[in-house]
Amino acid sequence: MNGLNDSISKNRKNIMEKKYYHLIVPTILILFLVVGTSAFAGEIDTTLEKLDLSGFLRMRAWYTSSIIKVPGKFAPTDTYKSVNYQDMFFRNRLNLKLLPNLEIKTTFDVFSTFGYQNSGFALGKGSTNLITRNVYAVFKPGDSSEISLGLKPFSLPGGYILARDASGFQYNQDLFKKKIKAYCALVKAFDDASDTFGEGSDPTDYADDNIYFVGAQFSLSSSISAESYYVHENDKFISESDGRKAALNWIGLHCKLASGNWLCQLGVISNWGCLKLRDDETENFECRDVDALLFEFLASYRFGNLRCSLVAEGATGDPNNSDDEESFQDIKASHGFSYFVVDNLGGIALRGSGESSWFGLYGAGFKLHYPLFGSISLDLNLLHFETTEELTWEDSTTTYLGDEIDFKAEYVYRETMTLFFQSGVFMPQDAYKALDAVNHAADGVVFEAMMGATINY
């Protein structure tokens, strides 16, 4: 009897051991996966702590109409024409902080325009228009200095001369307890050197455009600030379309005074140097001396919530000739003053983003800004434009370019979503019709409207 009990006990023990054996192996595997995943998750969490992701998604719908000719890609024919389209812009900023004083910054954009035959997001197309805007490193040797290198944004005050992403280097230095911020930069705008074997065996046949600038921002007091800079461009690139080279210089001074309800801004930029233009007959380059000037002015006063501003901007030159010796030159400008004559927001524009904003033109008028309920803002612009040189149209000689009325309404929801609407009406005069870019006799107005939304994250 005792032998039988021992046998049963032994069998039961074997059965239990087999049963628990099948449980132990999966348990060990699960524990291994949990521990390993936790460790890996810890590494991910550490990496995520170094990442800073931000950006915005913007959708806009444009509508334009005109019975006169307007410049650019939306130019109507001799008859009444309207253009409507939509665009989408998705900006993603991804910054990786490797060390407390070392950071890598990147910017990627997805952009497309709807309503064009060859647009990337046309019906039946799903191509992605991914654009790399910025990839650069920022190193801070100390609390008062910063070095940035790579494909990065470069911008000078107002965007009158330069406001573009480019490959280059910039150094910033704070001085006198941050009352002065000095900076210098080198921009390599174009480089097409060829080297077949990577050993310098090919001839040194290359084209480039080197841009240098140095400047300083001054905070003289809590109400007075200024910025001054010098820019030099040595452009050796020969464009097949215009055959233009240049050695140009700019000196700029921009001042700002804010006191109580008053705000005043004044800026002036002197531009001189040599435009090297190719003669189509001789194929030789001739130097055309440049001596030009650009100015900006704003005087603003706040009556309660309403801010009223008197504005004026312009530059010397021939409005029909960007290469005139008195025409103000730029590198790659991006400046906005109105919704039609000088506009960098999109839609139609007489002078748009990427070109000199003002040469041969000046504008003046009033701008009104009124906020409502802390989340709504209204803007109204009443502007008058002239040319700096008299232009002849039929039997009249005039400088009267035209008048413009702009309106904008914006609503901000919890600092994340913005809804906006803007419209502009331009009423041209004889000087506008005498521009080579327009050269059209019909009377009428140009109307533009845009509505859209922006979501920030």
Side-chain angles (χ1 to χ4, degrees):
M1 194 69 179
N2 291 334
L4 179 61
N5 291 335
D6 292 341
S7 177
I8 293 174
S9 299
K10 185 179 295 185
N11 291 335
R12 184 179 298 172
K13 182 178 180 182
N14 293 335
I15 292 172
M16 294 297 293
E17 286 179 354
K18 290 181 181 180
K19 179 179 179 181
Y20 285 114
Y21 174 79
H22 292 293
L23 293 177
I24 290 172
V25 173
T27 302
I28 294 175
L29 291 175
I30 291 172
L31 289 174
F32 176 78
L33 290 175
V34 169
V35 173
T37 305
S38 300
F40 183 65
E43 294 180 1
I44 294 177
D45 290 340
T46 304
T47 304
L48 289 177
E49 289 176 357
K50 299 178 181 180
L51 291 176
D52 180 19
L53 180 63
S54 63
F56 63 89
L57 171 65
R58 185 188 68 203
M59 300 285 293
R60 302 185 300 186
W62 293 87
Y63 175 81
T64 66
S65 67
S66 173
I67 58 174
I68 66 170
K69 185 176 176 61
V70 295
K73 58 186 176 182
F74 304 112
T77 59
D78 291 346
T79 59
Y80 177 91
K81 184 168 183 178
S82 64
V83 178
N84 63 85
Y85 69 98
Q86 297 79 42
D87 65 17
M88 184 200 75
F89 185 84
F90 186 33
R91 168 150 292 181
N92 301 270
R93 304 184 190 94
L94 181 62
N95 301 334
L96 177 60
K97 196 165 187 178
L98 301 175
L99 297 171
N101 60 343
L102 179 61
E103 189 173 10
I104 296 177
K105 296 187 176 185
T106 63
T107 302
F108 301 97
D109 295 339
V110 178
F111 173 77
S112 185
T113 303
F114 308 95
Y116 290 109
Q117 180 180 0
N118 296 320
S119 62
F121 292 162
L123 185 63
K125 282 189 174 182
S127 60
T128 302
N129 299 341
L130 181 62
I131 306 169
T132 304
R133 295 292 185 191
N134 304 140
V135 180
Y136 64 101
V138 178
F139 175 63
K140 296 181 180 180
D143 295 335
S144 60
S145 59
E146 180 180 286
I147 300 171
S148 55
L149 176 66
L151 177 61
K152 63 182 300 293
F154 290 94
S155 182
L156 291 164
Y160 296 104
I161 303 172
L162 175 64
R164 277 296 183 274
D165 300 319
S167 298
F169 160 88
Q170 184 164 342
Y171 174 71
N172 301 328
Q173 178 68 52
D174 293 329
L175 302 170
F176 303 106
K177 297 181 180 180
K178 298 188 177 182
K179 291 185 183 242
I180 298 178
K181 180 181 180 179
Y183 57 85
C184 63
L186 163 64
V187 181
K188 293 292 294 184
F190 187 87
D191 186 359
D192 195 19
S194 59
D195 190 348
T196 305
F197 300 104
E199 299 175 353
S201 57
D202 289 354
T204 56
D205 181 16
Y206 63 94
D208 60 0
D209 184 1
N210 296 321
I211 302 161
Y212 313 87
F213 61 85
V214 58
Q217 299 174 357
F218 303 90
S219 297
L220 304 179
S221 68
S222 59
S223 58
I224 302 176
S225 61
E227 184 166 355
S228 180
Y229 53 87
Y230 166 74
V231 185
H232 174 71
E233 179 189 24
N234 184 18
D235 184 2
K236 299 177 182 178
F237 174 55
I238 303 174
S239 170
E240 295 297 331
S241 60
D242 59 13
R244 175 187 181 274
K245 298 193 291 186
L248 297 170
N249 305 275
W250 296 264
I251 284 184
L253 175 63
H254 303 264
C255 303
K256 181 178 180 180
L257 170 63
S259 178
N261 293 327
W262 282 99
L263 173 63
C264 296
Q265 292 181 192
L266 178 65
V268 60
I269 306 174
S270 176
N271 171 216
W272 76 97
C274 174
L275 276 179
K276 300 176 182 179
L277 304 176
R278 182 169 53 195
D279 190 312
D280 293 335
E281 295 181 358
T282 64
E283 294 294 324
N284 295 326
F285 283 86
E286 297 180 358
C287 179
R288 178 176 294 177
D289 292 329
V290 174
D291 188 7
L293 194 71
L294 181 145
F295 75 94
E296 63 159 332
F297 170 78
L298 179 145
S300 176
Y301 186 80
R302 188 177 66 236
F303 299 91
N305 289 333
L306 177 64
R307 178 168 288 280
C308 303
S309 303
L310 174 65
V311 294
E313 291 186 16
T316 60
D318 181 352
N320 278 328
N321 183 9
S322 61
D323 294 331
D324 183 75
E325 61 184 10
E326 294 184 352
S327 290
F328 185 85
Q329 306 295 314
D330 77 315
I331 298 173
K332 275 295 182 181
S334 181
H335 178 75
F337 182 78
S338 67
Y339 295 165
F340 179 82
V341 177
V342 176
D343 173 34
N344 64 346
L345 295 176
I348 58 175
L350 179 62
R351 301 280 175 82
S353 179
E355 57 190 345
S356 184
S357 306
W358 282 112
F359 70 90
L361 305 178
Y362 66 91
F366 294 95
K367 294 188 175 184
L368 308 176
H369 175 78
Y370 189 76
L372 286 171
F373 313 119
S375 59
I376 299 175
S377 62
L378 304 174
D379 292 274
L380 178 66
N381 303 332
L382 305 173
L383 304 170
H384 172 76
F385 295 92
E386 299 268 347
T387 60
T388 58
E389 293 187 5
E390 289 187 339
L391 298 178
T392 301
W393 175 252
E394 294 181 343
D395 296 330
S396 64
T397 301
T398 178
T399 62
Y400 192 2
L401 184 72
D403 300 295
E404 185 173 343
I405 301 175
D406 303 324
F407 172 76
K408 181 178 181 180
E410 184 176 272
Y411 169 69
V412 180
Y413 177 72
R414 294 189 177 182
E415 300 182 355
T416 300
M417 184 172 67
T418 303
L419 305 177
F420 49 87
F421 170 81
Q422 70 179 49
S423 63
V425 176
F426 178 70
M427 295 155 284
Q429 301 299 323
D430 286 344
Y432 176 80
K433 302 169 189 176
L435 290 176
D436 286 346
V438 179
N439 194 21
H440 196 278
D443 292 322
V445 300
V446 180
F447 172 78
E448 177 181 82
M450 181 269 290
M451 63 184 302
T454 300
I455 301 174
N456 299 289
Y457 71 91

